[in-house]
Amino acid sequence: MSRFFTTGSDSESESSLSREELVTKPVGGNYSKQPLLLSEDEEDTKRVVRSAKDKRFEELTNLIRTIRNATKIRDVTKCLEEFELLGKAYGKAKSIVDKEGVPRFYIRILADLEDHLNELWEDKEGKKMNKNDAKALSTLRQKIRKYNSDFESHITSDKQNPEQSADEDAEKNEEDSEGSSDEDEDEDGVSAATFLKKKSDAPSGESHKFLKKMDDEDEDSEDSEDDEDWDTGSTSSDSDSEEEEGKQTALASRFLKKAPTTDKDKKAAEQKREDKAKKKHDRKSKRLDEEEQENEGGEWERVQGGMPLVKEKQKMFAKGTEITHAVVIKKLNEILQAQGKKGTDRAAQIQLLQLLVQIAAENNLGEGVIIKIKFNIIASLYDYNPNLATYMKPEMWGKCLDCINELMDILFANPNIFVGENILEESENLHNADQPLRVRGCILTLVERKDEEFTKIMQNTDPHSQEYVEHLKDEAQVCAIIERVQCYLEEKGTTEEVCRIYLLRILHTYYKFDYKAHQRQLTPPEGSSKSEQDQAENEGEDSAVLMERLCKYIYAKDRTDRIRTCAILCHIYHHALHSRWYQPRDLMLMSHLQDNIQHADLPVQILYNRMMVQLGICAFRQGLTKDAHNALLDIQSSGRAKELLGQGLLLRSLQERNQEQEKVERCRQVPFHLHINLELLECVYLVSAMLLEIPYMAAHESDARRRMISKQFHHQLRVGERQPLLGPPESMREHVVAASKAMKMGNWKTCHSFIINEEMNEKVWDLFPETDKVRTMLVRNIQEESLSTYLFTYSSVYDSISMEMLSDMFELDLPTVHSIISKMIINEELMPTAQQNLALQLAEKLGSLVENNERVFDHKQGTYGGYFQDQKDGYRKNEGYMRRGGYRQQQSQTAY
Amino acid sequence: MASRKEGTGSSATSSSSTTGTAGKGKGKGGPGDSAVKQVQIDGLVVLKIIKHYQEEGQVTEVVQGVLLGLVVEDWLEITNCFPFPQHTEDDADFDEAQYQMEMMRSLRHVNIDHLHVGWYQSTYYGSFVTQALLDSQFSYQHAIEESAILIYDPIKTAQGSLSLKANRLTPKLMEVCKEKDFSPEALKKANITFEYMFEEVPIVIKNSHLINVLMWELEKKSAVADKHELLSLSSSNHLGKNLQLLMDRVDEMSPDIVKYNTYMRNTSKQQQQKHQYQQRRQQENTQRQSREGPLLPEEDLSKLFKPPQPPARMDSLLIAGQINTYCQNIKEFTAQNLGKLFMAQALQEYNN
């Protein structure tokens, strides 16, 4: 990464000095210990001596290296930039090239680049490439073709005997090969093992890499004074540059010697640390490009910071070092600094941190430090996945849970520890036992994050697999942790924090049906034939009470709208889930959620939709057909219930969104165990629509202005009608349609058998907690609505009909029949004949006609001017009054 | 149906008498000087019309045909007729006029009256007052002054009373149609309302004596049961249909009125603007006069204020006419039905 940066800023104008150093420093790295005290002056003079050839060639090799990097990460734009620079640099070096011949490495990069581009070009369709890259690719391809035509012969010869050239490369351009191998490490984070393998493959040139490696190790132990190492390294490399060939073997052996002596290095490092400040000062005064140098150095350090730790994990600290707070914290900071950098092995980092905890624990450094490290472990566990969409691996997840638990243990055990995100790094008190310990870190954030991770895991697991069940088992643990944190925060946290943790708790409670409370409700309290154990189990707080408590706290204390909204929604949902209708309805109406929910963010809206649906289903269970229908109407009428509830993406709109959007939408999905059964939802909706619509249709058979109550229901009916051959119903929808048809004829028994039967029980009704209650309610509703439908449809056939007969027909008791009929009569819904109905409609129409006609008449009067305005109004009123009487009858006869 | 016909001499008058008298009254009140005072229809023509509908007419589709006969003094005698073939999509190039001419020529060959005296049309629940009928009747009447249209209502006939009416356009309407000006002003000037669009001519069905004798004989032989249709108490269907049709017309009427209303408003608004403009102009002129400057030139006001297009009133007139016929129908029908109901009540009381 740093290298990109370096070369990125590497314009022509930059001094060659810095670059030269950059290139050469790995070579000299092995000397870093010995010539520690080498004077700076020497360094400078050396540099002056360098030949023009070297300078130019180094420039080229630098550029080449960047290009190689760019090709590796398929950054074509970068490639293009660098290629142009390379061309210029080559032009500059022309005089030297003329003398020396075209350098091999130059030919090589040209050939390689062309190959790479061709490859990319062919691959273009396969892999997505952004617009810029694609554009750059085509430009670069053209350019390099043109350019390469000049070097045609060289390239072909190079291709014919690549080995030779490789050797030469190794010899002549060690820096180059080295540089690129550096990249290997940096970019891919090659582990030590692969690295070793590599070495055996290419022993000759690669030994340098080891040297480099060693350097890295050193750096890590020293960390902050790497830049010095580099500097000194570069000095020595310069001095060595002439004897490169002989060096190789020597280097290898030195490496071997060196490997086991890390401890010694450590000591050296310690030593160096002391010198550091002074040295820096010296250099500042001397060097011209000091600033830049340091920058570069700093970046170098970061890049490699994380990598070699793998190897080193066994020995976190030098053996003899006294483990103190300061040392551990320092170490911790070191590790943390490497975080988030490219090439940092996150897994290793976590291990390292854990090791650190162990060490801290072994050395009794106190809880403060341990807590601090644990915070960081958890944080890095979360950061393990760089991508937001991917989810934690199970082992990571387990680790994370354990860690949080341990953390909580400690926190509970030591009430004198203050934890908070507002505690500044500086004001932390990790070891001073006299004062209360203060640690920066927010347990709440950790838990929230953990919750998100849990959701992510659930979202990404196939809900029908055993794996999902396994994951789901963790939910108990998650809840337990939340509960613990809740306890903790209730004591120590601010109200806001308490609100947040309450919301978390609520979010983990609201969708669960409280079976125990339900059982308790069913069995009267005196029937305590249950065992003691059962009693004990029942001791736990009813979720309803719990919800009540948590939500009320939030209503009272919360200051952010979002938490309150969520809490209300969950509260309503929970109520509805437990078949309480009036409380949630009142909550709903009082909170005015409907008015401003469209301004909420999408997850809240999804929650709102879920709540609405649950409320509708609740109303249905209570037998409140109309309320159920109204609640479900919005969700169902769109036909996108699945999407609105966040329970899956619609295939239909898949083309409309790009991958980015899809990813975001996927993140919004509700985990499977929270899902509301869509079939149940639709069935409830259709059945309630049927119970409303069929009597309505019968009542308004001849009404020209009849409106549909439920479009969806009508759609289903039409689908049923369109069938050329009507078999017995199979799907839930077909059942409802068949039932509707039976109901239309007032045949409640058939209707009943279609709605409630084995199949429907299995699909829908058994999903309710109080199945039997719902079923009896349903039957009764069907009977009543069938009765009114029957009366509407066939009233014109009967002169009179006895209530006893109706009561027999519909198996309803007399008072019910009486009340239904009375209601119909009061609502004037029972028309004796169609004629009366028609006549009424006609009268209405004629009324409006006459009104219009009168307006024409008024107009004629109005032309005389506004003089009579008042009088006219009075006149009109009179007229209107009269019209309401017998006048209208006359009108209808003579049609004005 | 046959049983209905036999009463030509005596009871045909009963069926058409109600309408006949009404028509007569109107006829007197309206034209007065019209050439034809009465229409005499041959039994054959009636049967042929009925048969034509029975065989070719669908429920809502109408059948049409040509009436042949002659004018005797102020009587129009219709002695024969022939049907128009039904139009279908695939013989669009069918020449009606040619067909008529040929038909008449052929009939002349067999010594049948071949004077074209009008046409007949079946109707669906009395809905016949349409633009199309008006147009063709106008062209008939324009060519043959005496011509009339026979409207045959098959549904009413099926209920037991033959419904056949002879109609013609009033001279006033003829004038208007000749002018082809249906603007509100023109109609107002012509003093035309929906009531004076058509005039009904009383009809008499005439049979030869031999037929009458046969009828008498048949009547004696036929059982009384044949006359049941007349006494049918079921009324809902017919009444409902009529109401529905009436409602449809009312629905059509409403926008027409609204249109007229807006027209009126626009005109008056413009009138006002015009007035204001003129006043302003006059004021300025007087000012100029006092200053003795040149007067403003006269301007064409009609160019400045283009009067809004007046809506054609013929449509609403026709609809009104149609509504009128529906109302008549309903009135008639309900009156008859009430009578029947009272009869039935009396009968039941008597039986009890």
Side-chain angles (χ1 to χ4, degrees):
Chain A
M1 183 181 249
S2 69
R3 197 155 304 167
F4 293 153
F5 177 73
T6 320
T7 35
S9 64
D10 221 14
S11 62
E12 291 300 303
S13 61
E14 205 183 309
S15 83
S16 61
L17 290 183
S18 63
R19 188 174 301 141
E20 162 195 7
E21 275 183 12
L22 206 145
V23 176
T24 49
K25 60 196 160 185
V27 184
N30 51 330
Y31 290 111
S32 59
K33 303 293 116 49
Q34 290 88 340
L36 198 66
L37 301 170
L38 212 76
S39 87
E40 252 78 29
D41 302 356
E42 201 183 313
E43 197 178 304
D44 279 349
T45 45
K46 276 281 177 212
R47 207 163 281 144
V48 174
V49 170
R50 288 177 64 84
S51 74
K53 175 196 164 192
D54 284 353
K55 210 167 136 187
R56 292 287 169 225
F57 275 18
E58 264 174 34
E59 204 173 340
L60 288 176
T61 46
N62 261 330
L63 284 168
I64 286 168
R65 196 183 308 146
T66 352
I67 291 177
R68 283 201 195 278
N69 276 341
T71 53
K72 245 172 239 157
I73 57 162
R74 303 174 130 248
D75 187 350
V76 189
T77 330
K78 182 88 190 166
C79 251
L80 177 62
E81 251 171 56
E82 292 304 320
F83 177 70
E84 274 162 8
L85 288 178
L86 184 68
K88 275 184 205 162
Y90 184 75
K92 268 193 196 167
K94 191 77 181 157
S95 57
I96 297 155
V97 170
D98 287 344
K99 222 164 34 194
E100 305 270 331
V102 183
R104 282 276 180 205
F105 59 85
Y106 192 68
I107 299 302
R108 195 89 181 278
I109 186 64
L110 289 181
D112 284 356
L113 197 57
E114 195 175 13
D115 287 347
H116 173 71
L117 285 177
N118 285 336
E119 205 176 286
L120 267 184
W121 186 259
E122 269 149 41
D123 202 24
K124 205 169 151 194
E125 277 76 35
K127 278 200 182 149
K128 284 258 185 272
M129 200 179 262
N130 67 36
K131 229 169 79 191
N132 282 341
D133 275 358
K135 217 170 124 193
L137 176 61
S138 50
T139 339
L140 184 55
R141 192 159 162 265
Q142 277 176 351
K143 275 196 175 162
I144 202 149
R145 246 192 221 160
K146 227 169 101 192
Y147 197 80
N148 280 7
S149 58
D150 296 341
F151 298 93
E152 196 70 62
S153 57
H154 293 288
I155 290 171
T156 42
S157 72
D158 179 73
K159 273 182 181 162
Q160 270 157 9
N161 46 0
E163 262 170 60
Q164 182 213 342
S165 59
D167 286 346
E168 274 176 65
D169 269 1
E171 280 168 353
K172 284 193 181 169
N173 305 299
E174 267 177 323
E175 295 99 323
D176 180 25
S177 69
E178 223 176 296
S180 58
S181 56
D182 277 354
E183 258 93 8
D184 275 346
E185 293 162 308
D186 294 345
E187 238 127 280
D188 310 328
V190 192
S191 72
T194 51
F195 181 59
L196 282 168
K197 219 195 285 166
K198 245 193 196 163
K199 183 214 159 201
S200 59
D201 288 345
S204 63
E206 304 280 328
S207 54
H208 288 279
K209 242 187 262 178
F210 278 86
L211 298 175
K212 173 90 173 68
K213 200 82 187 164
M214 288 314 302
D215 264 346
D216 292 347
E217 283 160 29
D218 293 345
E219 283 151 36
D220 281 316
S221 55
E222 294 147 24
D223 237 28
S224 51
E225 50 267 75
D226 280 313
D227 39 357
E228 275 139 294
D229 275 344
W230 291 124
D231 296 337
T232 47
S234 58
T235 3
S236 54
S237 80
D238 288 344
S239 59
D240 287 332
S241 55
E242 284 88 47
E243 33 169 83
E244 270 169 348
E245 262 131 303
K247 217 168 68 184
Q248 281 175 16
T249 45
L251 288 177
S253 63
R254 200 169 297 167
F255 162 71
L256 288 172
K257 225 194 292 173
K258 232 189 170 140
T261 61
T262 23
D263 282 355
K264 220 161 60 189
D265 289 351
K266 286 271 149 56
K267 268 170 210 154
E270 299 270 283
Q271 220 180 347
K272 252 191 292 175
R273 203 172 286 155
E274 283 149 38
D275 294 343
K276 184 175 109 182
K278 191 183 93 201
K279 257 198 183 170
K280 236 181 196 160
H281 185 256
D282 286 348
R283 228 178 305 127
K284 240 176 218 163
S285 57
K286 282 179 185 170
R287 288 262 198 91
L288 288 167
D289 49 351
E290 175 68 63
E291 285 306 88
E292 204 175 336
Q293 189 96 29
E294 283 216 332
N295 283 345
E296 279 167 18
E299 271 136 27
W300 274 98
E301 161 218 329
R302 256 182 265 152
V303 171
Q304 283 140 354
M307 231 307 288
L309 289 173
V310 193
K311 269 182 107 184
E312 244 195 331
K313 68 183 166 197
Q314 300 312 323
K315 287 174 186 150
M316 185 77 78
F317 297 101
K319 241 172 210 159
T321 332
E322 191 195 350
I323 311 267
T324 61
H325 288 103
V327 175
V328 173
I329 298 297
K330 189 129 203 155
K331 186 79 199 162
L332 178 66
N333 284 338
E334 269 168 33
I335 298 168
L336 290 184
Q337 263 168 17
Q339 227 167 39
K341 306 289 163 355
K342 202 163 186 175
T344 310
D345 186 346
R346 299 186 195 81
Q349 229 188 359
I350 291 161
Q351 278 175 334
L352 238 126
L353 284 168
Q354 276 169 339
L355 209 72
L356 204 61
V357 171
Q358 265 177 22
I359 293 170
E362 278 165 16
N363 289 289
N364 285 325
L365 287 185
E367 310 292 358
V369 178
I370 295 179
I371 288 175
K372 178 143 182 83
I373 301 173
K374 288 231 179 226
F375 267 127
N376 286 312
I377 293 179
I378 298 167
S380 37
L381 277 169
Y382 291 146
D383 288 338
Y384 184 71
N385 280 317
N387 193 339
L388 262 180
T390 48
Y391 60 104
M392 267 184 160
K393 283 185 199 132
E395 56 264 35
M396 287 293 191
W397 171 244
K399 238 186 251 175
C400 179
L401 285 184
D402 291 343
C403 215
I404 295 178
N405 260 328
E406 283 164 29
L407 188 60
M408 287 313 296
D409 283 338
I410 298 172
L411 284 178
F412 271 110
N414 300 282
N416 60 337
I417 297 177
F418 286 107
V419 175
E421 54 189 333
N422 43 4
I423 296 172
L424 292 173
E425 200 87 42
E426 293 81 44
S427 62
E428 275 184 335
N429 176 15
L430 299 177
H431 49 83
N432 193 343
D434 307 333
Q435 290 163 341
L437 296 174
R438 295 162 69 85
V439 181
R440 179 188 166 84
C442 182
I443 184 83
L444 180 60
T445 325
L446 289 184
V447 175
E448 278 175 346
R449 190 71 203 276
K450 176 213 58 171
D451 204 57
E452 274 167 37
E453 288 295 338
F454 181 66
T455 316
K456 235 185 268 173
I457 290 177
M458 295 321 271
Q459 278 170 351
N460 283 292
T461 318
D462 173 18
H464 303 292
S465 64
Q466 190 60 33
E467 207 186 341
Y468 194 87
V469 181
E470 292 300 322
H471 285 316
L472 200 52
K473 282 179 188 161
D474 288 342
E475 218 259 335
Q477 238 177 312
V478 172
C479 290
I481 289 175
I482 290 175
E483 241 171 281
R484 294 187 68 181
V485 175
Q486 182 195 332
C487 287
Y488 183 76
L489 287 178
E490 271 170 2
E491 280 176 35
K492 301 210 168 167
T494 61
T495 42
E496 278 151 55
E497 284 173 323
V498 175
C499 281
R500 273 160 74 190
I501 193 73
Y502 274 5
L503 181 67
L504 264 187
R505 184 84 193 276
I506 289 169
L507 285 174
H508 275 277
T509 316
Y510 79 97
Y511 63 91
K512 290 176 190 150
F513 188 76
D514 193 347
Y515 278 97
K516 276 184 217 154
H518 184 59
Q519 284 294 321
R520 242 174 298 162
Q521 258 180 3
L522 290 186
T523 53
E526 63 265 22
S528 53
S529 56
K530 284 184 178 176
S531 66
E532 286 292 299
Q533 184 202 344
D534 266 1
Q535 285 291 337
E537 257 179 40
N538 287 350
E539 287 304 295
E541 200 175 10
D542 266 10
S543 65
V545 182
L546 177 73
M547 287 294 286
E548 190 83 22
R549 187 166 60 79
L550 300 181
C551 289
K552 284 216 167 127
Y553 184 85
I554 290 180
Y555 299 157
K557 298 281 169 71
D558 176 56
R559 253 175 250 113
T560 66
D561 237 11
R562 192 176 184 275
I563 292 183
R564 192 179 14 231
T565 311
C566 285
I568 294 174
L569 291 174
C570 293
H571 201 180
I572 297 173
Y573 188 100
H574 190 260
H575 273 312
L577 190 66
H578 293 82
S579 299
R580 292 183 287 264
W581 161 249
Y582 291 102
Q583 291 119 296
R585 191 202 56 183
D586 294 347
L587 253 178
M588 170 95 186
L589 294 178
M590 281 191 303
S591 58
H592 295 288
L593 275 174
Q594 286 131 308
D595 305 334
N596 41 30
I597 193 68
Q598 64 267 27
H599 305 304
D601 53 10
L602 280 172
V604 177
Q605 285 192 22
I606 287 176
L607 189 60
Y608 172 81
N609 288 340
R610 284 165 55 76
M611 180 277 292
M612 231 21 212
V613 165
Q614 196 60 250
L615 202 58
I617 293 174
C618 169
F620 181 77
R621 279 187 305 216
Q622 305 293 307
L624 304 163
T625 323
K626 201 159 189 173
D627 292 311
H629 180 266
N630 289 342
L632 299 180
L633 183 64
D634 281 345
I635 302 287
Q636 278 291 317
S637 61
S638 63
R640 295 186 303 152
K642 200 170 159 194
E643 204 179 341
L644 290 176
L645 292 175
Q647 300 192 356
L649 305 175
L650 285 185
L651 284 175
R652 174 163 50 80
S653 50
L654 210 62
Q655 303 96 320
E656 288 163 25
R657 55 171 172 250
N658 53 32
Q659 279 189 321
E660 200 69 11
Q661 273 171 307
E662 196 184 328
K663 232 180 243 169
V664 175
E665 273 173 49
R666 261 186 214 294
C667 284
R668 259 187 241 132
Q669 298 305 307
V670 175
F672 185 73
H673 59 282
L674 271 71
H675 279 198
I676 296 168
N677 190 324
L678 288 176
E679 191 168 28
L680 170 89
L681 166 63
E682 194 181 354
C683 180
V684 165
Y685 174 74
L686 285 179
V687 169
S688 39
M690 174 186 88
L691 290 174
L692 291 175
E693 185 85 72
I694 298 288
Y696 180 82
M697 277 164 76
H700 297 83
E701 190 75 70
S702 51
D703 194 343
R705 284 179 307 164
R706 179 167 53 124
R707 277 194 304 267
M708 284 188 270
I709 293 178
S710 159
K711 257 190 187 150
Q712 247 224 326
F713 178 70
H714 274 273
H715 175 72
Q716 292 304 338
L717 280 187
R718 253 170 300 163
V719 168
E721 274 162 19
R722 238 180 280 145
Q723 226 93 80
L725 201 63
L726 211 59
E730 276 171 15
S731 71
M732 176 273 297
R733 286 178 194 159
E734 284 167 4
H735 270 105
V736 177
V737 170
S740 308
K741 276 184 187 153
M743 197 178 191
K744 240 187 218 166
M745 314 297 289
N747 190 347
W748 78 271
K749 276 186 185 162
T750 325
C751 178
H752 172 211
S753 69
F754 276 129
I755 290 288
I756 296 171
N757 53 33
E758 286 286 295
E759 262 176 87
M760 288 293 270
N761 276 345
E762 198 178 302
K763 273 182 190 149
V764 182
W765 307 126
D766 284 347
L767 298 174
F768 288 130
E770 295 164 307
T771 318
D772 292 323
K773 221 172 111 189
V774 173
R775 272 194 285 252
T776 41
M777 175 280 297
L778 207 51
V779 173
R780 198 181 158 79
N781 261 339
I782 288 173
Q783 285 169 333
E784 288 176 4
E785 297 304 331
S786 298
L787 169 61
S788 40
T789 312
Y790 184 83
L791 286 179
F792 282 136
T793 318
Y794 299 109
S795 60
S796 57
V797 177
Y798 288 101
D799 238 2
S800 64
I801 184 165
S802 77
M803 291 218 297
E804 283 82 9
M805 197 177 136
L806 286 174
S807 136
D808 272 357
M809 265 173 86
F810 293 95
E811 293 181 17
L812 287 166
D813 48 354
L814 269 178
T816 320
V817 175
H818 188 262
S819 84
I820 291 173
I821 295 173
S822 307
K823 236 184 258 169
M824 288 165 82
I825 291 169
I826 288 169
N827 291 337
E828 295 183 334
E829 288 172 324
L830 275 181
M831 291 294 170
T833 57
Q835 274 78 43
Q836 192 183 347
N837 205 350
L838 278 172
L840 280 174
Q841 283 180 46
L842 177 63
E844 214 173 286
K845 280 188 181 146
L846 285 175
S848 67
L849 185 68
V850 169
E851 217 160 279
N852 274 332
N853 214 18
E854 247 166 42
R855 229 170 271 156
V856 175
F857 188 60
D858 281 351
H859 209 84
K860 275 185 179 159
Q861 283 206 325
T863 47
Y864 292 114
Y867 194 68
F868 300 104
Q869 202 67 41
D870 297 336
Q871 265 180 313
K872 207 179 74 191
D873 272 3
Y875 162 75
R876 259 170 89 179
K877 257 175 223 155
N878 253 339
E879 188 79 344
Y881 179 71
M882 275 181 61
R883 215 172 39 236
R884 232 155 275 143
Y887 183 53
R888 188 196 265 181
Q889 238 60 36
Q890 227 180 326
Q891 286 287 324
S892 72
Q893 283 298 325
T894 57
Y896 72 89
Chain B
M1 220 121 297
S3 69
R4 206 46 245 135
K5 216 76 3 74
E6 40 73 37
T8 22
S10 53
S11 60
T13 29
S14 83
S15 74
S16 54
S17 61
T18 42
T19 58
T21 44
K24 222 179 260 173
K26 224 170 266 171
K28 271 175 200 158
D33 56 341
S34 174
V36 172
K37 292 267 162 51
Q38 200 160 24
V39 178
Q40 177 184 302
I41 310 170
D42 215 286
L44 172 75
V45 173
V46 178
L47 286 176
K48 268 178 111 172
I49 291 172
I50 292 169
K51 186 162 172 271
H52 181 198
Y53 176 82
Q54 209 78 346
E55 283 172 354
E56 290 201 47
Q58 272 100 35
V59 186
T60 49
E61 229 166 89
V62 295
V63 295
Q64 292 174 327
V66 176
L67 297 174
L68 300 172
L70 61 158
V71 183
V72 182
E73 290 174 4
D74 56 354
W75 282 51
L76 176 65
E77 285 186 20
I78 302 170
T79 53
N80 213 329
C81 67
F82 63 87
F84 282 147
Q86 288 287 343
H87 284 286
T88 45
E89 294 295 311
D90 31 275
D91 51 19
D93 53 344
F94 175 77
D95 191 352
E96 251 176 31
Q98 175 107 23
Y99 167 79
Q100 282 182 31
M101 293 311 290
E102 260 174 42
M103 207 56 194
M104 282 192 281
R105 203 175 301 133
S106 311
L107 287 172
R108 194 167 60 180
H109 285 315
V110 288
N111 211 12
I112 288 173
D113 287 332
H114 58 271
L115 184 61
H116 202 162
V117 293
W119 57 303
Y120 68 86
Q121 190 194 307
S122 73
T123 166
Y124 175 69
Y125 284 107
S127 49
F128 62 89
V129 191
T130 60
Q131 186 70 44
L133 183 128
L134 180 78
D135 286 348
S136 38
Q137 180 57 22
F138 169 72
S139 58
Y140 264 104
Q141 236 165 299
H142 196 59
I144 312 154
E145 207 195 327
E146 298 83 7
S147 62
I149 174 169
L150 276 183
I151 303 290
Y152 163 64
D153 189 341
I155 293 162
K156 246 192 203 170
T157 308
Q159 277 170 349
S161 52
L162 173 70
S163 167
L164 202 61
K165 285 176 188 173
N167 275 310
R168 41 183 291 138
L169 300 183
T170 55
K172 272 184 192 171
L173 191 62
M174 283 299 288
E175 292 286 313
V176 175
C177 286
K178 253 182 239 169
E179 302 283 315
K180 287 211 179 344
D181 181 11
F182 301 118
S183 66
E185 269 71 40
L187 290 182
K188 206 169 152 191
K189 216 172 87 190
N191 196 16
I192 271 234
T193 62
F194 64 91
E195 285 155 311
Y196 300 118
M197 289 172 72
F198 290 92
E199 55 180 346
E200 195 173 328
V201 191
I203 57 169
V204 173
I205 298 174
K206 191 191 178 247
N207 284 321
S208 72
H209 295 302
L210 276 174
I211 294 174
N212 281 341
V213 172
L214 178 69
M215 290 297 183
W216 281 109
E217 217 172 300
L218 283 174
E219 192 176 25
K220 268 183 192 162
K221 281 180 190 167
S222 72
V224 193
D226 288 1
K227 288 184 180 174
H228 272 337
E229 298 113 327
L230 186 63
L231 293 173
S232 158
L233 283 174
S234 80
S235 61
S236 59
N237 198 17
H238 190 119
L239 197 58
K241 266 274 153 36
N242 262 320
L243 275 172
Q244 215 144 41
L245 287 165
L246 180 56
M247 239 187 307
D248 290 347
R249 287 297 98 73
V250 171
D251 276 347
E252 280 174 33
M253 192 74 172
S254 290
D256 246 29
I257 288 187
V258 172
K259 219 190 281 171
Y260 185 61
N261 211 347
T262 39
Y263 161 71
M264 296 276 281
R265 212 171 23 230
N266 286 346
T267 349
S268 76
K269 209 190 284 171
Q270 207 177 46
Q271 208 70 40
Q272 233 165 7
Q273 280 174 346
K274 206 165 161 181
H275 194 65
Q276 274 178 1
Y277 181 78
Q278 275 172 329
Q279 267 188 338
R280 230 183 303 140
R281 195 104 180 153
Q282 213 167 7
Q283 259 176 4
E284 203 169 320
N285 266 351
T286 46
Q287 268 183 4
R288 282 181 185 227
Q289 222 161 21
S290 62
R291 276 183 291 153
E292 290 177 2
L295 295 184
L296 284 171
E298 282 292 309
E299 272 182 23
D300 194 3
L301 283 174
S302 61
K303 249 183 205 166
L304 267 170
F305 298 99
K306 229 176 185 179
Q309 187 69 33
R313 294 297 288 158
M314 204 57 208
D315 276 346
S316 51
L317 214 56
L318 282 169
I319 296 169
Q322 186 62 63
I323 289 177
N324 192 31
T325 51
Y326 283 139
C327 287
Q328 296 291 348
N329 273 346
I330 292 170
K331 219 158 78 178
E332 243 173 66
F333 183 80
T334 43
Q336 282 176 13
N337 261 45
L338 272 175
K340 279 189 260 180
L341 285 171
F342 279 122
M343 253 156 63
Q345 196 184 16
L347 257 166
Q348 264 199 327
E349 271 165 18
Y350 179 75
N351 281 348
N352 290 342

